Amino acid sequence: MGASIEDKLFLDRFNVHETSHLKIIDGAVCIDDCEQQLCLYICPANVYRLEHNRISINYEGCLECGSCRIGCPHLNIEWKFPTGGYGVRHKFG
Amino acid sequence: MQEKYDVAIVGAGPAGISAACVLADNGINAVVFERGEFPGAKNISGGVLYGHDLARIIPDFSQKNCPIERNIVESRIWYLSRDGGYSVSYRDKAFESQRRYNVFTVGRAKFDRWFADQASQKGALVVCGTVVTDLLRDENGRVTGVRTDRPDGDLNAKVVLLADGINSPLAAKTGFRQEPSPSHVALAVKEVIDLPEEVIDQRFNISSGNGVTIEILGSITSGMNGVAVIYTNRKSLSLCIGANLADFATKKIKPYEMLEIFKTHPMAAPLIKGGKPAEYMAHWLAEAGFENIPKLYGNGYLIAGDSGMLFNTLHREGSNMAMVSGAFAAQTIIDAIRKNDFSRSSLKNYESRLQNSFIFDDLKKYRRFNPFLAHHPEIFTSLPEAMGFAAREMLTVDGTPKKKKQKKIWKNLRKNHSLSALLRLMWDGYRSV
Ligand SMILES: Cc1cc2nc3c(=O)[nH]c(=O)nc-3n(C[C@H](O)[C@H](O)[C@H](O)COP(=O)(O)OP(=O)(O)OC[C@H]3O[C@@H](n4cnc5c(N)ncnc54)[C@H](O)[C@@H]3O)c2cc1C
Ligand code: SF4
Ligand code: SF4
């Protein structure tokens, strides 16, 4: 296997805001009602991880594609753009 | 914000900036809000742009330091099995001379910034680092301006142009168009791989400044409905691979792992060998099709570009539809300002302009293409393997009579595909393009 997702995100520039632009609305839904936990698979930046029986959000590496917002089968993610000027900043695009 | 603007534009991508240029050319004061630190900071595409459509906005773009990477002189199409693939290509001298810059590559971080500078020079105001978070409306629901995340956040305008791209939390919040379902978008990831200019020239057999595009279909998307591309930039290659988001959800294949597998394919690996990954990005493409284009205008607002789902999957044309629809929206706004009427019926002209252009013509013509791919998963699974088997058998010289080989190939093909399924595939394919 080639480069890991961490290697890839390391190539990118981010202007990280102190507060997350992504939020799980109800953590209990993730653990009790969500069999598929699709956020763990579809996110191209591996932002969502299952840690100690809860979903953690590493919003710092979010590529702002929107997939988790519409891909979460329970629509359980509150999704905003990072504050103006924050978030990923492309070099080449 | 104190001042009153005639037009507020959301998004400094190709759609928003084209509109801003046309409005500024006509002396109308427009303000463009862009959430990125600079225009292009949030944007990606494969990188192909079309000179014809850019020239409608900036006629002498090639003399104005437009950040062109390479002028495309050859298009290749690959159909790949796991271990090999077919390639067809077409190169033409015309694309080096009379038709130079018919198609060329750019990096959107640089191009969008340059394009927005052109709009500023014409007199448009581009305000970066600002997210439009809501639409202002009057008591009748007519859009009257935008709310931003700036401290002095609200701005009134006679009309608002939504050119905010395909991923629109603003649409989700305000309902100006529906949030797409996962099957209506493709999720693509892109990696830029740095290589010396001469190495790219050699590997693609091109002279300096010229370039090649490769469009790729087959097993490469792990059985999902998707495509990949390799495009040449001056000192880098753009690799993109993507698939329908609903397919990603079903197959649980991680986008970045699919990208890594793509990079090891025997057709792709030699082209990127020794290259240095420089950037990794992700973005959606519209796959909703003609039937799901939202209503593109209403009381006090218009929608252009990706935000209106204007994308031609087969010909990977999105930026030109964005530019042309942005310009049409601007012309409609100019008429509306003259009439001082920003109602839905006054803005209806926008739709007629789109209907009379290549945009609706092409989207209508190819409306069966996305369903065709969705209904024939074998295009991404068993068919490329069977075709790979066929070529490998025919090309292997081992003393077997060719007739016997043909029988073997036919038998292998029929193992996974009934005759009626093959005929159906050909018929549907023929009707979709
Ligand atoms: C992988 C990939 C490859 C592609 N390849 C090609 C190709 O080779 N050729 C081609 O023609 N097309 C291609 N496309 C499609 C093309 O990129 C789009 O069609 C085109 O960028 C659409 O332009 P736009 O102006 O409508 O939207 P965008 O380019 O997305 O611009 C929208 C702008 O709005 C800003 N914005 C969004 N919301 C807000 C807000 N609320 N407040 C403030 N600012 C906001 C964004 O930051 C962005 O700058 C590709 C797309 C992808 C994903
Ligand atoms: S897919 Fe949605 S509901 Fe399921 S675990 Fe992820 S965030 Fe929670
Ligand atoms: S927006 Fe895209 S990159 Fe960001 S967390 Fe959601 S799926 Fe991941």
Side-chain angles (χ1 to χ4, degrees):
Chain A
M1 204 66 225
S4 68
I5 182 62
E6 286 77 20
D7 295 339
K8 290 190 186 309
L9 294 172
F10 190 70
L11 303 170
D12 295 338
R13 286 207 201 128
F14 296 94
N15 186 9
V16 178
H17 197 276
E18 63 204 27
T19 51
S20 174
H21 60 290
L22 309 168
K23 208 175 99 193
I24 289 185
I25 297 166
D26 182 353
V29 170
C30 300
I31 303 308
D32 303 336
D33 306 329
C34 188
E35 246 169 63
Q36 303 229 37
Q37 301 189 320
L38 289 178
C39 59
L40 302 180
Y41 301 91
I42 58 175
C43 171
N46 198 25
V47 164
Y48 299 90
R49 295 181 210 161
L50 185 61
E51 281 167 358
H52 311 297
N53 206 26
R54 64 181 275 273
I55 304 280
S56 74
I57 306 184
N58 299 283
Y59 73 95
E60 299 87 346
C62 171
L63 298 171
E64 300 166 28
C65 67
S67 300
C68 55
R69 183 178 76 240
I70 67 168
C72 165
H74 300 276
L75 301 179
N76 194 25
I77 296 168
E78 191 186 303
W79 200 106
K80 284 197 282 236
F81 278 135
T83 305
Y86 285 87
V88 69
R89 186 205 294 151
H90 296 165
K91 294 176 280 186
F92 187 85
Chain B
M1 294 181 87
Q2 309 296 336
E3 285 165 88
K4 174 134 177 116
Y5 282 85
D6 287 330
V7 188
I9 300 174
V10 189
I17 292 300
S18 297
C21 286
V22 172
L23 291 169
D25 278 341
N26 285 275
I28 290 163
N29 68 9
V31 54
V32 186
F33 291 107
E34 168 55 47
R35 68 185 190 89
E37 194 181 308
F38 53 85
K42 302 290 185 184
N43 300 346
I44 84 167
S45 74
V48 158
L49 280 192
Y50 306 90
H52 171 81
D53 301 296
L54 180 56
R56 282 161 66 144
I57 316 284
I58 313 284
D60 49 351
F61 68 87
S62 64
Q63 278 109 57
K64 284 201 160 153
N65 291 324
C66 177
I68 293 170
E69 292 286 328
R70 284 179 188 261
N71 169 53
I72 300 304
V73 295
E74 180 180 324
S75 295
R76 295 183 194 164
I77 298 173
W78 288 357
Y79 190 50
L80 303 187
S81 61
R82 244 171 297 135
D83 301 319
Y86 290 79
S87 171
V88 286
S89 66
Y90 183 72
R91 178 181 291 211
D92 201 313
K93 219 170 95 191
F95 297 127
E96 286 185 41
S97 45
Q98 316 95 287
R99 299 204 180 168
R100 193 170 173 76
Y101 300 139
N102 166 59
V103 174
F104 55 89
T105 48
V106 298
R108 291 284 303 276
K110 280 187 221 153
F111 174 81
D112 289 14
R113 204 171 191 170
W114 170 87
F115 199 23
D117 278 347
Q118 307 303 307
S120 305
Q121 281 166 30
K122 288 172 186 287
L125 179 66
V126 182
V127 181
C128 294
T130 305
V131 184
V132 172
T133 54
D134 206 351
L135 298 174
L136 307 178
R137 295 178 197 259
D138 67 12
E139 62 282 2
N140 302 318
R142 194 180 81 85
V143 174
T144 56
V146 294
R147 173 153 295 164
T148 72
D149 68 351
R150 294 171 77 88
D152 48 353
D154 291 0
L155 180 113
N156 291 308
K158 291 176 180 159
V159 60
V160 174
L161 175 61
L162 298 151
D164 57 337
I166 182 157
N167 174 20
S168 175
L170 188 60
K173 178 168 178 176
T174 63
F176 71 76
R177 73 153 154 90
Q178 254 195 345
E179 181 87 314
S181 70
S183 65
H184 283 171
V185 297
L187 168 63
V189 290
K190 170 172 180 172
E191 190 162 296
V192 178
I193 298 184
D194 284 346
L195 276 167
E197 193 168 351
E198 322 74 66
V199 173
I200 295 175
D201 292 350
Q202 278 163 16
R203 284 187 190 172
F204 288 83
N205 188 22
I206 37 182
S207 53
S208 146
N210 290 327
V212 173
T213 58
I214 312 175
E215 319 292 331
I216 306 161
L217 212 67
S219 308
I220 200 73
T221 44
S222 307
M224 299 187 287
N225 172 4
V227 293
V229 310
I230 300 176
Y231 295 160
T232 52
N233 304 311
R234 198 160 71 85
K235 291 197 258 182
S236 64
L237 299 178
S238 292
L239 268 70
C240 304
I241 188 162
N244 192 275
L245 185 58
D247 283 7
F248 271 120
T250 313
K251 297 250 173 172
K252 297 206 163 96
I253 290 167
K254 296 189 174 170
Y256 42 92
E257 289 176 1
M258 190 164 83
L259 171 67
E260 285 306 300
I261 295 170
F262 172 38
K263 283 162 67 179
T264 63
H265 191 278
M267 300 273 281
L271 294 178
I272 59 171
K273 189 169 172 243
K276 208 169 128 282
E279 190 164 41
Y280 171 71
M281 294 159 283
H283 202 81
W284 288 346
L285 296 116
E287 288 205 331
F290 184 72
E291 281 78 14
N292 291 298
I293 293 175
K295 195 91 197 139
L296 295 172
Y297 59 94
N299 287 318
Y301 73 92
L302 298 146
I303 311 175
D306 266 18
S307 186
M309 301 288 203
L310 306 177
F311 185 72
N312 176 345
T313 312
L314 180 61
H315 292 270
R316 46 99 165 102
E317 290 180 19
S319 56
N320 58 338
M321 296 207 170
M323 285 183 192
V324 173
S325 61
F328 284 164
Q331 284 151 7
T332 309
I333 290 170
I334 293 165
D335 291 346
I337 287 176
R338 249 180 236 135
K339 292 183 282 182
N340 197 28
D341 179 358
F342 304 94
S343 66
R344 189 189 172 88
S345 58
S346 167
L347 300 176
K348 191 175 181 331
N349 252 321
Y350 178 46
E351 196 171 63
S352 329
R353 285 187 160 97
L354 289 165
Q355 267 161 359
N356 296 328
S357 75
F358 79 96
I359 296 186
F360 272 34
D361 261 3
D362 283 357
L363 291 177
K364 216 187 276 175
K365 171 167 160 52
Y366 296 120
R367 69 187 183 283
R368 291 197 191 92
F369 185 65
N370 283 326
F372 165 66
L373 296 180
H375 292 147
H376 289 282
E378 68 275 19
I379 294 171
F380 308 97
T381 53
S382 49
L383 193 66
E385 298 311 320
M387 286 182 61
F389 178 85
R392 194 164 56 237
E393 283 304 308
M394 288 311 277
L395 293 171
T396 305
V397 180
D398 59 1
T400 315
K402 297 290 183 259
K403 194 159 179 188
K404 208 165 160 194
K405 285 194 181 232
Q406 277 171 348
K407 259 196 176 146
K408 196 170 155 192
I409 290 167
W410 185 239
K411 218 174 123 195
N412 180 62
L413 181 68
R414 293 290 304 279
K415 205 168 61 190
N416 290 312
H417 312 89
S418 71
L419 192 58
S420 64
L422 287 170
L423 289 171
R424 169 106 259 161
L425 174 76
M426 283 194 283
W427 173 243
D428 288 352
Y430 170 74
R431 288 205 324 152
S432 74
V433 293

